[in-house]
Every structure is written in structure tokens, then in C-alpha cells.
Amino acid sequence: MLRREERNLENIPVGALGLIPVTGCEELGDHINDYLVKWRSESGPKHKDDVAFTGYERDTFIIDAAVPRFGSGEAKGIIKESVRGKDLYLLVDVCNYSLTYSLSGNINHMSPDDHFQNLKRVIAAVGGKARRINVIMPFLYESRQHKRTGRESLDCALALQELVRMGVDNIITFDAHDPRVQNAIPLNGFETVPSTYQFIKGLLRNVDDLQIDSDHMMAISPDEGGTNRAIYLANVLGLDMGMFYKRRDYTQIVNGRNPIVAHEFLGSSVEGKDVIIIDDMISSGDSIIEVATELKRRKAKRIFAAATFGLFTNGMDKFDKAYEEGIISGILTTNLIYQTPELLSKPYYINCDMSKYIALIIDTLNHDGSISSILNPSERIQNVLQKYKNGEKI
């Protein structure tokens, strides 16, 4: 298993490490900071006399920053301490709709646009003084508007180019809706990090009677766009893979999209098998529940839905109903975006914590080390599977 102490951290740090959780990402930032402080307090003493490691060991790596707003709803970014020469990592959760601000006496909930604007304000407040700026944006802003199918805007590409023009060196995101958006910034760092290992670990920790082989389990993609995720999961677990494709009515448009007429299944029999449906996000949840219902109609055993981002834009009622009816046995999403207390309290919900993984990426990048082995979790997956089969604690 890949552990932090096994990483090659011999390189001199790029600069003193600084972490800025932009408003709305504080909780994840605190968890990441705790790991970094712990690790560096363990390895820091051996570098204490080395000038290249100045500021290597600190009580906190979080830089005090804020984005206050005027009564008109306008805002400004403020950084309350020096960032000169630092290697900065800015964390932003564009999906945190729980935050509000006052607009001429009215309460507004923050949209992804507001969060992206706040990120730019903080970068502007840095004012070019940092050694390097890295943006960790787990849910890639506007990633669902990644391709042009008519006379329409390419928002994700524009956002990436704007960040690069402002001086951002690296952009790290998780399970991008379509990784090809990085073509918009081909000369800059762009990493899309998978969450497969955390899903498998979360499932194995919470379900103790899984039989992980092709006779008892299958990996399913809910649509043609997510096939690669399901293929990877099936390969590392040694399972068969199936997929659904959406049959749409192209003669009409509802809410800006062609409505789905039916979900058609391609793959071998799911009868009597546990099924993992894997996707990048659960939005309203209609597709996942329709796919799960189709799988149940084909006599699948238990159905687990795993998605990096649980948006649940229409609430949890339909998932409660699906769980009560035995259609879905578990839902796994990560803590990369805002999670409601209601979601965390659900008996079928499995939370997959990504903070240690992000801390490991930050620590390695700060040392200018390669993150290739971190981005490929196949070895860690095999180790955790072996532990599960041996009955060991995961």
C-alpha cells in the first residue's frame, strides 16, 4: 500500500508550503492541513538547519485569507499575511450552495459562478508574489459544458484559460466529466485524479459479505460516456462489465436537452450478482435510479452506486424510496464537495474521505516529486482486496 513515508521526498521544496481554502472549502482544508502538519512534524527535525527547508515545519499551513462582500453584493479578496516565495495550494468547492451573502438586503445562495469569482479574487490578491500557484478544484467548474454541439459557449475551456492567464501553474481536479478539456491549456499542468481506490475501500469497510469475482459481481456504467471508469473498475477487481446507453428523443427539447426515452443495457447477465454502478456524479439521481431499477428487473442482487460527486440536486426522497424498496443497497460519494447533514445521516450512505489523498498529492508536488504512482491506485487496490479476503481490518 502506498504510504506517505514511502514517497520519495528528497527534492528540495519548491517553496514554503501555503494552503488557502477559499470560502466554502474550510472543512476539507482543515483535514488536509492536519495531515500535512503531522507528517512534517515527524520529518521536519532532520531539515531544521537547512535554509532550503525554511518554513517546512509549522503549526498550520493555512494562510489567512478572506473574501468579504459589500452591501451591493460586490466583493474583494484579501490575504492577511505575506505569501512571497510560497508554493500556494488554493482549494475551492464550486458546489457549496450552503453559503449565502447579502445583496441589497436579500439573501443569495452562492452559485458555482460566485465561487469561481472568489477563487480569482484570491489569486488576484496574491498579486504575483507567490513562487507557484496551484489550484485544487475537485469538481471542475463548468465541466459539464465541455463540448460544443451547436452555437453555444465552451465555459470550461474559457475558465481554464482564464486561470492560466492569471498565473496558475497547475490545476488538479478529480474525475473530470471529460478529461479532454485539458486540451484548452496544453502547456500547463492539469491532473484529473480518480477516486476508484477510495470507493473500493469504502465498500469493503462497510459490506462484509462481498464475493469479488466475475461469477458474483459486475461493474456497470450508467451511460456510454462513463465506460472507461467501469472498464477500469472491472479490470482491477477481475469482474465483467456492462453498460447502459440512453435512447433519446431528438425530435424535442425539454429543459435544454433531448429527453431520455429508455435506458438500453449491453452486457452479460446480472442475475444473482452484486452490482457496482460507477459514475462521475449523481445530479438529480433520476438516471442512477432508472438504471438500478432496470438491473433489478434483470434480477440483480444488491446494487451499489458510486459517484465522485454527490450533488443530489432534487433532494434525497427518491433515494430513500429506492432504498426502502430494495432497489439500491448503498450509495458512495466523496467529501470533495459539500455534503448536507441529511445526506451524512442516511443509513445507506457511505462517505469516502479524500483528504489524506489530497494531502499526499500536495506534499509530493511541494517537493517537485512525481505523482504518477499516486494517480495509479491499482497496487493499493490489490492490497486492500487481499486484506479483505484474509479477513483483516481495512
Side-chain angles (χ1 to χ4, degrees):
M1 186 179 291
L2 180 67
R3 290 189 174 86
R4 189 263 177 188
E5 58 267 22
E6 292 170 9
R7 302 295 310 128
N8 179 8
L9 302 174
E10 296 306 311
N11 294 347
I12 292 171
V14 173
L17 179 59
L19 197 61
I20 303 180
V22 179
T23 309
C25 210
E26 293 92 346
E27 188 176 347
L28 181 62
D30 287 340
H31 290 319
I32 294 166
N33 181 58
D34 289 343
Y35 280 113
L36 292 169
V37 169
K38 177 176 178 288
W39 292 340
R40 296 209 164 180
S41 67
E42 292 166 359
S43 58
K46 65 181 180 183
H47 301 299
K48 70 178 189 305
D49 298 324
D50 191 334
V51 69
F53 284 78
T54 302
Y56 189 75
E57 188 183 354
R58 295 178 60 184
D59 294 333
T60 181
F61 293 102
I62 293 177
I63 306 288
D64 192 6
V67 187
R69 286 185 181 265
F70 302 101
S72 59
E74 296 164 294
K76 62 179 176 180
I78 303 173
I79 291 177
K80 301 177 183 178
E81 59 187 274
S82 173
V83 293
R84 188 176 292 278
K86 288 192 185 299
D87 185 25
L88 292 183
Y89 292 81
L90 280 66
L91 288 158
V92 61
D93 174 11
V94 298
C95 294
N96 192 342
Y97 60 86
S98 70
L99 298 183
T100 59
Y101 63 91
S102 175
L103 176 59
S104 298
N106 298 303
I107 298 300
N108 260 21
H109 282 265
M110 287 186 68
S111 71
D113 294 344
D114 293 316
H115 286 291
F116 185 67
Q117 203 66 25
N118 277 359
L119 170 66
K120 292 194 294 180
R121 289 178 176 118
V122 173
I123 294 170
V126 170
K129 305 299 189 298
R131 179 72 50 84
R132 185 173 68 173
I133 297 176
N134 311 272
V135 168
I136 299 177
M137 185 186 290
F139 185 97
L140 186 60
Y141 173 69
E142 289 288 2
S143 57
R144 299 173 80 176
Q145 188 50 31
H146 62 286
K147 63 183 178 181
R148 180 175 279 155
T149 54
R151 286 184 291 274
E152 57 189 34
S153 56
L154 286 170
D155 297 61
C156 190
L158 286 170
L160 293 175
Q161 290 178 350
E162 191 171 7
L163 290 177
V164 164
R165 283 196 300 270
M166 292 186 77
V168 172
D169 296 281
N170 296 302
I171 297 168
I172 297 153
T173 188
F174 285 75
D175 207 355
H177 193 64
D178 186 342
R180 288 173 295 185
V181 293
Q182 67 188 285
N183 292 340
I185 50 166
L187 302 180
N188 290 78
F190 180 96
E191 301 292 348
T192 176
V193 185
S195 311
T196 317
Y197 170 62
Q198 282 77 10
F199 287 149
I200 291 169
K201 194 162 74 168
L203 191 61
L204 299 185
R205 274 182 174 166
N206 288 275
V207 185
D208 55 12
D209 61 342
L210 293 170
Q211 290 180 272
I212 303 166
D213 57 53
S214 57
D215 293 327
H216 299 93
M217 189 178 271
M218 270 184 83
I220 301 287
S221 171
D223 55 38
E224 59 276 25
T227 310
N228 286 342
R229 292 182 196 92
I231 289 172
Y232 181 77
L233 182 67
N235 284 342
V236 293
L237 296 182
L239 312 178
D240 286 339
M241 174 257 174
M243 67 161 279
F244 283 82
Y245 71 90
K246 295 169 181 171
R247 189 148 54 85
R248 295 181 182 271
D249 180 0
Y250 285 101
T251 63
Q252 56 177 313
I253 294 175
V254 178
N255 294 330
R257 307 184 74 177
N258 301 107
I260 297 165
V261 178
H263 287 84
E264 305 287 357
F265 181 66
L266 301 172
S268 56
S269 171
V270 297
E271 186 171 348
K273 295 179 183 178
D274 289 328
V275 170
I276 304 172
I277 305 170
I278 187 161
D279 207 355
D280 61 332
M281 70 179 77
I282 297 173
S283 186
S284 66
D286 290 339
S287 289
I288 286 282
I289 289 171
E290 283 174 32
V291 163
T293 304
E294 283 293 315
L295 290 168
K296 274 293 180 187
R297 201 167 60 77
R298 290 172 168 81
K299 299 190 171 77
K301 190 179 172 187
R302 290 174 296 186
I303 296 172
F304 302 96
T308 307
F309 307 107
L311 303 173
F312 304 107
T313 53
N314 292 352
M316 301 302 299
D317 292 347
K318 66 184 73 170
F319 294 96
D320 293 343
K321 188 167 179 279
Y323 176 65
E324 286 160 15
E325 293 174 355
I327 293 169
I328 284 178
S329 298
I331 291 176
L332 301 92
T333 70
T334 69
N335 65 335
L336 291 170
I337 61 171
Y338 172 68
Q339 298 163 300
T340 63
E342 180 195 13
L343 172 65
L344 294 169
S345 70
K346 297 296 180 186
Y348 51 83
Y349 180 66
I350 298 170
N351 181 25
C352 302
D353 183 15
M354 301 293 288
S355 51
K356 186 177 182 181
Y357 196 21
I358 297 174
L360 188 60
I361 291 169
I362 290 173
D363 203 21
T364 308
L365 286 176
N366 180 239
H367 279 267
D368 230 6
S370 169
I371 59 171
S372 300
S373 56
I374 300 174
L375 300 181
N376 182 9
S378 55
E379 189 181 333
R380 281 171 288 156
I381 290 170
Q382 296 311 316
N383 282 330
V384 82
L385 282 175
Q386 197 56 52
K387 278 187 175 181
Y388 185 78
K389 288 172 181 172
N390 296 341
E392 298 173 37
K393 187 179 177 185
I394 295 169

